[in-house]
């Protein structure tokens, strides 16, 4: 009996503290729930706005379609009255009359009319008539003049619009935002310095002979792949350009990416060894390929 009473007395503080602990836990979880709700709110608002935009656009298109059909039906129904109005002398030759003529089947406003007046030029049975250019052609020509003036002012006078080079640079900057900026970003060049320690170059040589000699030769003279000992490079001769080429490969030319087969240290060792081959002039060297680059001097020691 005493033991049971002691247990009850011991559990009484815990029972009294339980509601307080639950309240504290609820208060601690509230900020996380609020943050999740706040993050979901913009997404929900964006979805609702997009739905409303497409709904209004579809409604506008439907209204325009209905009005267009009603207009066509009205013209068909009133075609005899419109033709009688068009044939009036005071209406027929006016610009508004020509617009009216389009509704009743006379396309003179667009195609023009033949004068059937000879110019007096006759050669080998070919005669020339004094007919004006079709109005549609003249209107198109006038439009090109206005467009050319506007284009010149917009791009070359006020510099409001970006030219092709500026547009290209802007698009490249936007594309770079979509690419991760970590070590697996092929657009991000590393800032390594070439390794010059003997063990690193020996390790790079061993890796080169094992993995690269089949295409570039045991001495870098070039076989299927280019010569790696001259001043000419297809993808850059700096150690960081060579590192990038080894890591990501050039799949369009048959060179595989080695980032999944060699570690970053091993790739740098191979790139450093390739740098050390510059100017060795091995026998049977392949002809130069790519762009010539000025020698960068002896490789610097890596930190």
């Amino acid at each position: 009996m005493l033991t049971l009473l002691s247990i009850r007395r011991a559990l009484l503080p815990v029972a009294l503290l339980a509601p307080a602990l639950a309240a504290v836990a609820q208060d601690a979880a509230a900020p996380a729930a609020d943050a999740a709700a706040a993050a979901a709110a913009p997404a929900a608002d964006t979805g609702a706005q997009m739905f409303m935009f497409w709904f209004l656009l579809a409604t506008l298109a439907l209204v325009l379609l209905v009005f267009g059909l009603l207009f066509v039906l009205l013209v068909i129904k009133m075609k005899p009255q419109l033709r009688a109005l068009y044939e009036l002398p005071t209406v027929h030759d006016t610009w508004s009359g020509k617009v009216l003529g389009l509704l009743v089947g006379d396309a003179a406003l667009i195609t023009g009319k033949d004068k059937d007046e000879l110019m007096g030029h006759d050669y080998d049975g070919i005669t020339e008539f004094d007919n004006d250019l079709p109005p549609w052609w003249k209107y198109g020509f006038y439009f090109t003049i206005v467009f050319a003036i506007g284009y010149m002012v917009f791009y070359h006078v006020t510099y409001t619009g970006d030219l092709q080079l500026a547009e290209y640079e802007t698009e490249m900057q936007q594309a770079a935002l979509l690419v991760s900026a970590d070590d697996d970003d092929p657009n991000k060049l590393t800032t390594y310095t070439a390794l010059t320690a003997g063990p690193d170059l020996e390790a790079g040589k061993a890796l080169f002979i094992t993995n690269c000699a089949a295409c570039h030769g045991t001495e870098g003279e070039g076989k299927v792949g280019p010569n790696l000992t001259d001043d000419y490079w297809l993808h850059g001769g700096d150690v960081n350009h060579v590192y990038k080429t080894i890591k990501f490969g050039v799949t369009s030319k048959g060179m595989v990416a080695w980032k999944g087969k060699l570690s970053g240290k091993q790739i740098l060792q191979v790139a450093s060894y390739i740098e050390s081959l510059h100017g060795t002039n091995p026998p049977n060297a392949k002809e130069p390929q790519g762009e010539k680059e000025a020698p960068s001097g002896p490789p610097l020691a890596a930190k």
Side-chain angles (χ1 to χ4, degrees):
M1 187 68 178
L2 292 175
T3 304
L4 181 59
L5 182 59
S6 300
I7 293 174
R8 289 179 177 176
R9 289 177 177 176
L11 293 178
L12 182 59
V14 177
L16 294 174
L17 289 174
L21 294 174
V24 171
Q26 185 176 3
D27 292 340
D34 293 341
D45 292 342
T46 303
Q49 291 175 359
M50 290 299 297
F51 173 79
M52 184 59 65
F53 169 77
W54 288 112
F55 176 77
L56 293 176
L57 188 63
T59 303
L60 178 61
L62 181 61
V63 171
L64 293 177
L65 178 62
V66 171
F67 274 100
L69 292 175
L70 291 176
F71 179 76
V72 172
L73 292 175
L74 182 63
V75 169
I76 294 175
K77 187 72 175 177
M78 298 183 60
K79 192 172 183 178
Q81 292 86 348
L82 294 176
R83 177 167 289 279
L85 178 63
Y86 173 64
E87 292 176 353
L88 293 176
T90 56
V91 177
H92 188 275
D93 294 329
T94 63
W95 190 87
S96 59
K98 293 179 181 179
V99 174
L100 182 61
L102 292 176
L103 300 178
V104 297
D106 188 352
L109 179 64
I110 299 176
T111 60
K113 287 188 176 181
D114 296 335
K115 298 179 180 179
D116 293 332
E117 296 179 3
L118 292 175
M119 296 284 292
H121 302 159
D122 188 352
Y123 179 80
D124 197 18
I126 301 174
T127 57
E128 181 180 359
F129 287 87
D130 184 17
N131 293 325
D132 293 333
L133 290 170
W136 65 265
W137 193 97
K138 291 190 290 186
Y139 299 150
F141 181 67
Y142 299 150
F143 173 77
T144 59
I145 295 175
V146 174
F147 178 83
I149 295 174
Y151 182 93
M152 182 183 66
V153 172
F154 186 76
Y155 286 101
H156 299 282
V157 177
T158 63
Y159 299 102
T160 304
D162 293 333
L163 296 179
Q164 290 182 343
L165 180 59
E167 288 181 350
Y168 170 77
E169 293 175 349
T170 301
E171 291 178 359
M172 291 298 294
Q173 292 174 358
Q174 294 174 348
L177 297 176
L178 303 177
V179 180
S180 61
D182 56 16
D183 292 338
D184 286 332
D185 181 3
N187 296 316
K188 181 181 178 182
L189 198 63
T190 56
T191 57
Y192 296 132
T193 54
L195 304 174
T196 57
D200 288 320
L201 293 180
E202 289 297 327
K205 179 178 180 180
L207 292 168
F208 180 87
I209 293 175
T210 302
N211 301 294
C212 311
C215 292
H216 295 282
T218 56
E219 298 180 356
E221 70 274 13
K223 290 184 178 180
V224 178
N227 180 3
L228 301 177
T229 65
D230 56 18
D231 296 333
Y232 293 82
W233 297 88
L234 292 170
H235 307 287
D238 176 76
V239 65
N240 291 290
H241 286 95
V242 176
Y243 181 95
K244 174 183 174 181
T245 304
I246 297 172
K247 183 175 182 178
F248 298 104
V250 186
T251 55
S252 61
K253 296 185 179 179
M255 179 171 176
V256 299
W258 292 94
K259 65 177 181 178
K261 306 175 182 65
L262 300 178
S263 66
K265 179 66 177 295
Q266 289 176 322
I267 294 176
L268 183 57
Q269 289 173 337
V270 176
S272 300
Y273 173 70
I274 292 174
E275 290 291 302
S276 70
L277 294 177
H278 178 262
T280 55
N281 299 321
N284 301 320
K286 192 175 181 180
E287 69 278 1
Q289 292 176 272
E291 299 293 332
K292 185 176 182 179
E293 295 187 10
S296 57
L300 302 175
K303 295 182 180 179

